[in-house]
Amino acid sequence: FTIPPPAFAGITRSTDEGMLRVLLSAALIAAVLQGTLCVRTTPSRARIALLSVRPAAWFTLQPRRTCILGSRSLAAMSSTPAPEPAPEAKSEEQLAMELCDSEDIEEACTLPGGVTVPMSWVRTARIGLCFGVWFFLNIMYNLNNKVCQNAFPMPWTMAAVSLLVGIPFVLLMWVTGIRKAPKINPGGWSKLIPIGLFHAAGHASAVIALGAGAVSFAQIVKAGEPVFTCLLAYFVLGQKFSRAVYASLVPIVGGVALASLKELSFTWKAFGGAMMSNLAFASRAIYSKKQMDKPVGENLGAANLYGILTIIAFIATVPFFCLYE
């Protein structure tokens, strides 16, 4: 294999053969490892290219301006795109997991033991599990909050710190891309800030109630939040519920009244804080229902929205923490 002298200007005949051997050997090794190699030669734009190493490699002159490096085939340099590789076949376990993630309640889900159950059962089990985890974490939060306030009776500090510890977690999720960061429209903050203020008032009032009285008493009073929600929905939104809904509120009101009368450690501070928390959280729900009828941004799911409200609530709580404690 010979190349005319003009193709390698500046290389003498005495070194031409040795240089070519070294060059072609290196090109062959690189082509085997990478699949494709282009070698720039003279200013005449002629190049030696070893393309798409297959059962038999070949050399060709390629008078093109671009030089493709890396493991690309000859089809990548032509106008016809290379056929995409066939997708890998999914295992039965992967198909079963995808099927169990379906939102169609009429479908069936095959469990690891080979048992097939309706999709509605799976959704009910998931919701029940979420309720169980929620109640467990809420109980542990209330108990630890009470223990901390017994040793450190500063409710505004506790309210601010408990909001602060959630902010790095939310920011980490957004920065790493685990959860898509929200994008708020220019007019969206005017709707989110009042909701965050209601969130701050409800959270701080609940912390004050926990520190002023028994945990059980504060939680019983806070169970009256649906009463405030129904009342505000009627007066603010003009929304009416069925008689069954209103009838279900009677045991709640009776239970709160009975607990207040029988509570040995009753304090008006604990009762007032719990009732204020009910009013603030009910107002948050009604205001959200009224103002959030249209999207205020992108990537505003339940988790991201709660993260934004947590940041707003922390900022709103800091002045009271500095003022009182």
Side-chain angles (χ1 to χ4, degrees):
F1 181 82
T2 59
I3 294 181
F8 282 87
I11 300 179
T12 60
R13 291 182 177 275
S14 60
T15 59
D16 186 19
E17 183 177 358
M19 291 293 295
L20 278 178
R21 289 181 180 178
V22 173
L23 177 63
L24 296 180
S25 299
L28 180 60
I29 296 174
V32 172
L33 296 177
Q34 298 293 333
T36 304
L37 179 67
C38 285
V39 181
R40 186 183 298 273
T41 56
T42 67
S44 64
R45 291 183 287 176
R47 294 175 186 139
I48 297 178
L50 178 62
L51 302 174
S52 184
V53 176
R54 292 184 184 165
W58 63 88
F59 292 87
T60 180
L61 289 176
Q62 183 188 352
R64 298 184 59 167
R65 292 183 180 273
T66 58
C67 181
I68 300 177
L69 299 177
S71 54
R72 298 183 183 180
S73 63
L74 181 62
M77 299 186 62
S78 63
S79 59
T80 305
E84 297 181 357
E88 298 181 359
K90 298 182 179 180
S91 63
E92 295 182 359
E93 295 181 357
Q94 292 176 336
L95 294 175
M97 290 179 62
E98 291 182 0
L99 185 59
C100 292
D101 287 336
S102 175
E103 296 294 334
D104 190 355
I105 61 175
E106 296 182 357
E107 292 185 0
C109 173
T110 303
L111 300 179
V115 180
T116 302
V117 296
M119 196 64 205
S120 59
W121 291 15
V122 176
R123 294 185 61 185
T124 302
R126 287 176 179 173
I127 294 174
L129 178 62
C130 289
F131 270 115
V133 174
W134 176 30
F135 274 94
F136 173 76
L137 295 177
N138 191 31
I139 292 170
M140 297 305 298
Y141 165 77
N142 292 328
L143 294 177
N144 283 276
N145 197 321
K146 182 63 175 178
V147 171
C148 290
Q149 290 201 66
N150 287 339
F152 189 71
M154 294 186 176
W156 284 105
T157 303
M158 289 297 304
V161 170
S162 58
L163 291 171
L164 175 63
V165 295
I167 296 178
F169 173 78
V170 175
L171 296 179
L172 180 63
M173 299 285 283
W174 293 342
V175 171
T176 57
I178 298 177
R179 182 183 298 156
K180 292 184 178 179
K183 300 178 181 179
I184 310 300
N185 297 335
W189 289 107
S190 61
K191 297 182 178 180
L192 291 174
I193 290 177
I195 301 175
L197 295 179
F198 285 128
H199 183 69
H203 174 72
S205 300
V207 173
I208 293 173
L210 290 173
V215 174
S216 57
F217 173 70
Q219 290 302 303
I220 291 174
V221 177
K222 279 178 56 62
E225 182 180 335
V227 178
F228 287 86
T229 303
C230 291
L231 291 176
L232 290 177
Y234 177 77
F235 289 107
V236 178
L237 301 177
Q239 184 179 3
K240 297 181 180 180
F241 298 95
S242 63
R243 293 181 179 179
V245 173
Y246 290 120
S248 65
L249 300 179
V250 176
I252 297 176
V253 175
V256 173
L258 182 62
S260 300
L261 293 174
K262 297 294 184 179
E263 179 62 39
L264 298 178
S265 59
F266 176 85
T267 61
W268 283 106
K269 186 177 181 180
F271 180 80
M275 295 296 284
M276 183 61 68
S277 178
N278 290 339
L279 179 60
F281 283 138
S283 300
R284 181 190 64 179
I286 298 301
Y287 187 87
S288 300
K289 180 74 174 180
K290 186 177 181 180
Q291 297 294 332
M292 300 287 286
D293 53 343
K294 296 181 180 179
V296 296
E298 300 177 5
N299 306 325
L300 278 179
N304 278 348
L305 180 59
Y306 197 84
I308 293 175
L309 296 182
T310 300
I311 296 174
I312 297 174
F314 169 72
I315 297 174
T317 307
V318 169
F320 295 93
F321 152 68
C322 297
L323 178 63
Y324 291 107
E325 299 173 0

